Every structure is written in C-alpha cells, then in structure tokens.
Amino acid sequence: MKISCIALDLDRTTLNSQGRLSEANKKAIELAVKNGIHVVIASGRALNSLPREVCGIGGVQYAVTSNGAAIYDLHTRKCLKQYKLTADSVRRIVELTKEKGVAFEAFINGKPYAWKPYVEDPVRFGATVSAVPYVQTTRQPVENMLEFLEEHIGELDCLDIVVKGEEKKQEIWAELRREIEDIYITSSIRQLLEISYKDCGKHSGVKFLLEYLGLDARELAAFGDGDNDADMLRFAGVGIAMGNASPECKRAADLVTLSNDEDGVAHEICRLLYAADHHENV
C-alpha cells in the first residue's frame, strides 16, 4: 500500500547528535510534503520545546507531543486531543519516588517545567553533557517542585522522573507499574521515566491522527530510535528503526536504516518515494 503519512521521532532520529536538523533530512521532508505525504512529528517533547527548524517546515502541520498525551495542529496551535494524569496518580507517583534521589519534570499544556537544581546541573542527575543545552533552554525552573506539582495536580500532561542509574530506573519502573494502574510508562533515554495517562503512547497519538486524516495504519511509515518509539513502529505499516536505536526499538521495526548522524531519515524517505514512483513494495 502507498505511504501517505510519515511519523518522525525527533531526538536521535530526525535530529543529529548535536540536536540539529541536517540539510539532507530537511530536503527529504520537504520532498515528502511536496509529494502529498503528511509528515507528522511524534515526540516525547512538549509542544513548546519542539524545534522550529522541523515544525517550521511548510506542510508539517501536526505533532504528537509528550508521548501521545497531547496532539496539536501546529498551524493553528489548536490542541486536537489531550490526556491528563489523574490527581491521585500524580500524588502516588510522588509519594513512591520523592525519597529516591530523583528529580521531576512536569509538562502542562505544552510547557515543560523542572526542578531548579536539575535545570542548573542536569549531569548531576544523570543527563549526558550533550543534553545540557536542551534541558537548560527548554525547561522552566521551579524552586519547590513538590509544591508546584500539588498546585497543578490536575493539569499534568506528563510527569518525567529523572533517575541516575539504570538499576534504580528499572526498580522504580517496576514499582510504579505494580502500584498504579492508570498510567502509561515509557523511556526515551537512559535517565528518564516518562509517565502519562494509561491511554497515551506515540502509537495512540498517531492512530488518532490517522483517523482524523482518514488514513489507514498500513499507509504509515514511522521512524524512531527509543523504547518509547517501539509501539509506534509495531503499529505502522512500515516501522523504521535508526542504526543507533535501542534493542527494543530495533526488535519492533520492519527494518533498520542508517544512524541519525548518517541521515537515515533522508535515506529511507527517498527510498519510500522511489518505491512509490516505481510501484514497488516498501
């Protein structure tokens, strides 16, 4: 079936290791749009932290944000669908994790907030050095995160837990899954647990957009690199993992392409367009 929609994860997929959009990827996205394909952003990022160099491309109209918690029309800034964490779940998450040496990030109506010490020194909490500029330019620092969460208890699209160490991360993940029923938990990078309402997930957000646009899942090609992309890649007609993707993401994919630093997105978009022109299977 012809590909009519492309869903693109951003970090470590469409963006290179410096967090930038390469000229090759930009031209490939523009070419896809020119050929009538809907190009959709599918990211764990909040709306206000989406990079202008991607969402500013003409024809890139829709974005699945916060791992499916909020779906937007980028042209009008209208929120088409949104989920919120329940107040009880947020309180329970905080209760179970606040004494474990973690930091919190909260996404509220497309705006990301984070505990001030984490914003000032992300590496101290497990972030990589390369992630520091992103964290410090996108997060609104909050002095008292626990008070902030209580104040906005019913407003959260997503709650991230910043965890230093894989063992601690897996321990917290298992405990939250065991103790709280109405949440969706995923992880895009090693130091983050990303928590939203149980019906979220990039696959859920992309499914909503396909129905909104009158398209079939078989018409979707989805690109990703992280564990939080795996369900979306399984859902898509063609799931494409980057060469730098996590093992779980690669297992979910139909094929593995070049890495994000080798313009894997451009490579596969051009291949998809060539296949469509020559009526070949993708």
Side-chain angles (χ1 to χ4, degrees):
M1 182 174 283
K2 180 182 177 182
I3 296 301
S4 300
C5 184
I6 294 173
L8 296 174
D9 171 53
L10 292 176
D11 297 290
R12 297 164 301 280
T13 297
T14 305
L15 305 178
N16 61 25
S17 294
Q18 288 71 50
R20 303 305 302 272
L21 178 69
S22 71
E23 189 62 25
N25 281 354
K26 180 182 178 182
K27 288 181 177 178
I29 293 169
E30 291 172 339
L31 186 59
V33 170
K34 185 177 179 180
N35 277 267
I37 295 175
H38 294 278
V39 178
V40 171
I41 294 171
S43 178
R45 293 192 185 205
L47 177 67
N48 283 19
S49 58
L50 297 180
R52 177 65 185 170
E53 56 188 342
V54 180
C55 62
I57 294 174
V60 177
Q61 185 172 355
Y62 302 103
V64 175
T65 68
S66 302
N67 289 312
I71 298 98
Y72 290 92
D73 182 324
L74 296 173
H75 291 179
T76 63
R77 305 284 287 187
K78 178 182 179 182
C79 186
L80 303 176
K81 190 174 182 66
Q82 189 172 42
Y83 295 101
K84 296 288 186 182
L85 281 161
T86 65
D88 286 345
S89 290
V90 174
R91 289 193 177 102
R92 188 68 174 135
I93 292 166
V94 171
E95 178 186 339
L96 290 169
T97 61
K98 66 182 180 180
E99 303 299 333
K100 297 183 184 293
V102 304
F104 296 107
E105 297 182 321
F107 295 179
I108 300 174
N109 295 326
K111 297 179 182 180
Y113 302 84
W115 189 35
K116 187 176 179 181
Y118 168 64
V119 176
E120 292 175 341
D121 187 6
V123 175
R124 173 186 158 201
F125 292 87
T128 61
V129 173
S130 61
V132 172
Y134 168 68
V135 172
Q136 294 183 339
T137 58
T138 60
R139 271 51 179 167
Q140 179 69 37
V142 175
E143 291 281 355
N144 190 320
M145 200 65 190
L146 297 184
E147 287 185 3
F148 179 86
L149 291 174
E150 184 60 36
E151 182 181 348
H152 299 277
I153 196 69
E155 304 173 38
L156 275 66
D157 304 329
C158 183
L159 177 63
D160 290 354
I161 301 176
V162 187
V163 184
K164 189 171 185 178
E166 183 64 25
E167 184 177 347
K168 178 65 68 175
K169 171 181 162 182
Q170 294 300 327
E171 174 190 315
I172 292 174
W173 195 333
E175 183 177 21
L176 293 178
R177 188 189 299 120
R178 183 174 62 249
E179 297 291 334
I180 307 173
E181 294 183 354
D182 64 346
I183 56 175
Y184 170 84
I185 312 175
T186 191
S187 180
S188 58
I189 49 178
R190 61 181 176 83
Q191 76 269 18
L192 276 189
L193 281 175
E194 297 154 80
I195 308 168
S196 48
Y197 185 65
K198 65 180 180 65
D199 293 333
C200 293
K202 290 187 183 183
H203 64 292
S204 173
V206 170
K207 181 176 184 290
F208 167 82
L209 273 180
L210 289 175
E211 293 171 353
Y212 183 82
L213 296 169
L215 301 176
D216 189 280
R218 291 172 295 177
E219 299 175 74
L220 172 68
F223 291 75
D225 77 291
D227 290 358
N228 65 326
D229 297 308
D231 285 346
M232 178 175 69
L233 268 56
R234 292 189 189 96
F235 171 74
V238 183
I240 303 166
M242 309 306 292
N244 53 287
S246 70
E248 175 64 19
C249 186
K250 288 180 177 178
R251 284 192 293 268
D254 296 298
L255 61 96
V256 178
T257 188
L258 303 173
S259 76
N260 64 320
D261 288 325
E262 298 171 303
D263 298 327
V265 165
H267 178 80
E268 290 303 325
I269 287 178
C270 290
R271 189 183 68 82
L272 292 169
L273 293 175
Y274 178 89
D277 285 345
H278 292 79
H279 306 288
E280 296 177 1
N281 292 327
V282 296

